[in-house]
Amino acid sequence: MSRQMVRPGGRSARVQASVHTAVRELASEVGRDALTVPLVAQRAGVTPSTIYRRWGDLQELLSDVAVERLRPDTAPNDHGAMSSDLTAWAEQFLDEMASPAGRAYIRDALLGDPDGSNAGQCSAYAADQISLILTRAAERGEKTPEVEAVIDRIVAPMMYRILFRPDGLDAAYACRLVAEFLGRTGP
């Protein structure tokens, strides 16, 4: 087991945090296309070899940063009913992912992901949030669908549209997906 795995709060975590911060700052200052490993390394206070050793190349670094940026900051709000919770979550998810920054993070997460682990992590973020919504609903005595059904009927269509047909996406689209899904699966 490597030392950095044993000490997640040690140097490895500090390097990751400083490099991620450098990527975000430089992307906003000079633009994403102007980023280079030496530029990021200089800003982060590490050597380029540190970045190459840990991330392999710039695309994998950008992918790692994107996955972290796609991680939800908070738990979904509890509005007292599954339909309200799912609708509010779907609206927020669509708003964040369909934004120019959200689409850029999605592209980066997938481009630097040779083994599919980043895609799986991003999917797990959504599944965890949906699971929390459904668990709360079940605890209130509501009949709930399976997490995968919500992903198939609500998340998947939104992601397809975000990636391939982004025009006309708005809160009404998210609301319609939830309403149609819940109409098919019951209360």
Side-chain angles (χ1 to χ4, degrees), residues 76-90 129-130 132-145 178 182 186-187:
N77 289 331
D78 187 345
H79 299 278
M82 181 179 62
S83 61
S84 302
D85 290 353
L86 274 178
T87 300
W89 180 84
Q129 296 250 303
I130 293 163
L132 180 58
I133 290 169
L134 300 181
T135 298
R136 287 192 307 221
E139 288 169 354
R140 289 190 295 259
E142 295 180 71
K143 181 180 176 212
T144 60
V178 173
L182 293 179

Side-chain angles (χ1 to χ4, degrees), residues 1-161:
M1 185 176 240
S2 78
R3 185 174 175 156
Q4 68 188 27
M5 292 178 75
V6 174
R7 298 178 56 229
R11 183 181 184 279
S12 179
R14 288 191 303 274
V15 167
Q16 178 176 339
S18 65
V19 170
H20 278 216
T21 298
V23 167
R24 290 191 305 271
E25 289 174 353
L26 287 166
S28 69
E29 292 169 20
V30 301
R32 185 191 168 288
D33 293 339
L35 293 180
T36 65
V37 168
L39 187 63
V40 171
Q42 180 182 16
R43 175 66 65 94
V46 300
T47 64
S49 63
T50 298
I51 293 176
Y52 290 122
R53 191 169 42 254
R54 180 162 179 153
W55 286 280
D57 63 23
L58 181 63
Q59 188 57 64
E60 287 189 40
L61 169 58
L62 293 175
S63 186
D64 190 46
V65 171
V67 170
E68 188 61 32
R69 298 297 287 175
L70 291 169
R71 178 192 310 267
D73 293 335
T74 60
N77 289 331
D78 187 345
H79 299 278
M82 181 179 62
S83 61
S84 302
D85 290 353
L86 274 178
T87 300
W89 180 84
E91 288 175 354
Q92 181 178 356
F93 180 86
L94 181 63
D95 185 55
E96 291 173 2
M97 297 297 161
S99 71
R103 288 199 317 268
Y105 288 136
I106 292 166
R107 282 191 300 274
D108 280 343
L110 299 178
L111 283 173
D113 188 25
D115 64 1
S117 62
N118 289 349
Q121 184 59 60
C122 292
S123 177
Y125 294 155
D128 289 348
Q129 296 250 303
I130 293 163
S131 179
L132 180 58
I133 290 169
L134 300 181
T135 298
R136 287 192 307 221
E139 288 169 354
R140 289 190 295 259
E142 295 180 71
K143 181 180 176 212
T144 60
E146 296 295 319
V147 170
E148 289 302 313
V150 176
I151 292 200
D152 289 345
R153 301 280 182 84
I154 298 171
V155 179
M158 286 194 295
M159 286 304 296
Y160 181 87
R161 292 288 305 269

